[in-house]
Amino acid sequence: MVLLAVMAPARPLLVAIVAIALGATACSQTPASSSPASAAEVDGALRLAALTELDQRVAQVAWRLSEANAELCPAVRLSAGWALHSARQYSLDLRPHAEAHFGLRGDLPGVLAAPAGSPAADVGLQTGDLLLSVDGVPLEEGLAGGAPSWDGLGRNLRVVDAALADGTAVFDVQRGDDTREVAVRPVRACGYDVQLNPSDELNARADGRRLFISTALAGFAANDDELALILGHELAHHVLRHRHWSEVGGAGRRANEPAWRAEGGEGGAERQADRVGLYLLARAGYGPGVAAPFWRRFGESNWRVRFPQIGHASAGARARALEEVRREIEAKRSVGEPLLP
């Protein structure tokens, strides 16, 4: 379910963000110079910092959307709200910087983000904390070194998620040289992972199990309200059951054909997701007034979306339609009606 699928314009700021973030998944086998202040080391630190900033920003907005709209999501889970990562998921050139900056080791989950208001933040967890065990079960550090891989982290996350699914989970957490015990009490939230993908396309999509947003599009969003607009649109596809995940045959199978085909073919699904996504944004406390200006700005920056595309209305048409939805939301608020799309 693609919100946008056009190449980013050559704006210096956006190009710089993309160039920094793209390096995060490059599997370079060439070691950096051993010089303490080498250009390669400085470049790696800057790339990691840029990617981390985008990851944390996406995690904060995604958490607010997920918690506020749990009652509308078909898939719900008990969540700590955090974003976790591991040393081995990083490329060989960025891994030393990630290990040094975050204190990561192998496949052990480290806290990349503990969004404000999340259960993780409420118990004092913060970026740089390392999870060693949960409910007395040690998490696997795995082998040191090796090619970039998410598999070990994925196995650990399944153990963590299973513990949270039973309610309060007790973690042994390392911070620097200290280790302490922390009890995390998860809350209900939408059961979809959100993933930031290094890419120079202004693109976001949903596959029935996850939401994806490119580094280019996350960087294009001028503020958290605009980022919530983008993620809310993709979450709306899940709320509307436009897609479901199939373990056999892959992701993104269309499940709700009547909704998908409503109002004139595939474009009907996108119009529905625009409308419902703005409600999800408003329910999470973001400003729905951002929608129309965002689409006008996007249309001015990208000539392709000024015109209708297959399955998508023009940027101008989307701005006008979303302005109507904004007025609808404000009218409900004015009389104390619940914000249900």
Side-chain angles (χ1 to χ4, degrees):
M1 214 71 60
V2 177
L3 172 66
L4 311 163
V6 298
M7 299 302 292
R11 293 170 57 213
L13 176 60
L14 188 55
V15 170
I17 291 174
V18 171
I20 288 170
L22 281 174
T25 56
C27 299
S28 170
Q29 301 296 320
T30 304
S33 165
S34 60
S35 170
S38 69
E41 288 178 331
V42 172
D43 177 66
L46 289 174
R47 285 187 286 132
L48 178 65
L51 188 63
T52 298
E53 182 178 359
L54 283 179
D55 263 318
Q56 292 175 336
R57 184 179 168 207
V58 168
Q60 177 67 56
V61 173
W63 166 249
R64 283 180 56 178
L65 287 168
S66 182
E67 183 188 27
N69 294 293
E71 67 174 299
L72 302 180
C73 284
V76 176
R77 64 184 174 195
L78 291 176
S79 174
W82 51 27
L84 302 176
H85 62 157
S86 73
R88 286 197 64 205
Q89 78 181 65
Y90 285 93
S91 61
L92 297 184
D93 58 335
L94 287 189
R95 191 177 301 167
H97 301 287
E99 291 171 337
H101 185 70
F102 297 111
L104 296 172
R105 298 202 311 270
D107 294 320
L108 288 175
V111 177
L112 176 61
S118 69
D122 288 346
V123 295
L125 290 173
Q126 62 188 37
T127 301
D129 287 343
L130 192 65
L131 307 185
L132 304 179
S133 70
V134 55
D135 291 341
V137 178
L139 297 171
E140 297 181 5
E141 183 172 339
L143 299 175
S149 173
W150 190 85
D151 293 344
L153 175 62
R155 288 190 294 272
N156 281 329
L157 293 184
R158 286 191 286 274
V159 175
V160 169
D161 288 344
L164 292 172
D166 289 336
T168 300
V170 179
F171 294 86
D172 285 327
V173 179
Q174 181 176 327
R175 180 180 298 172
D177 296 329
D178 298 326
T179 301
R180 63 188 180 118
E181 191 176 88
V182 176
V184 178
R185 184 177 182 179
V187 299
R188 283 171 52 86
C190 295
Y192 308 106
D193 294 325
V194 179
Q195 182 173 326
L196 179 69
N197 283 349
S199 173
D200 62 351
E201 289 189 342
L202 295 171
N203 187 16
R205 61 188 178 90
D207 70 1
R209 188 168 72 175
R210 295 161 298 191
L211 311 179
F212 300 89
I213 183 170
S214 70
T215 48
L217 189 53
F220 184 85
N223 50 52
D224 286 353
D225 294 274
E226 289 190 353
L227 188 54
L229 175 70
I230 297 164
L231 294 176
H233 172 97
E234 299 307 327
L235 182 58
H237 282 304
H238 286 162
V239 169
L240 291 162
R241 301 175 186 267
H242 286 159
R243 293 200 172 190
H244 76 273
W245 176 270
S246 173
E247 296 294 347
V248 179
R253 305 249 174 163
R254 293 176 185 171
N256 188 347
E257 289 294 334
W260 185 266
R261 296 296 176 186
E263 301 181 26
E266 294 188 2
E270 294 304 312
R271 285 192 290 272
Q272 290 174 44
D274 275 352
R275 179 178 182 276
V276 172
L278 202 61
Y279 269 87
L280 303 183
L281 170 156
R283 288 166 56 89
Y286 293 103
V290 74
F294 170 84
W295 277 105
R296 294 188 185 103
R297 180 169 69 89
F298 193 80
E300 291 170 357
S301 301
N302 301 271
W303 65 267
R304 293 176 181 86
V305 299
R306 295 176 197 169
F307 307 98
Q309 304 174 66
I310 296 175
H312 295 77
S314 68
R318 294 177 85 163
R320 291 189 294 273
L322 283 167
E323 186 62 18
E324 289 294 326
V325 180
R326 178 191 66 79
R327 286 193 283 267
E328 179 183 315
I329 289 171
E330 291 180 350
K332 288 188 175 185
R333 277 179 168 165
S334 69
V335 295
E337 287 187 21
L339 295 184
L340 296 173

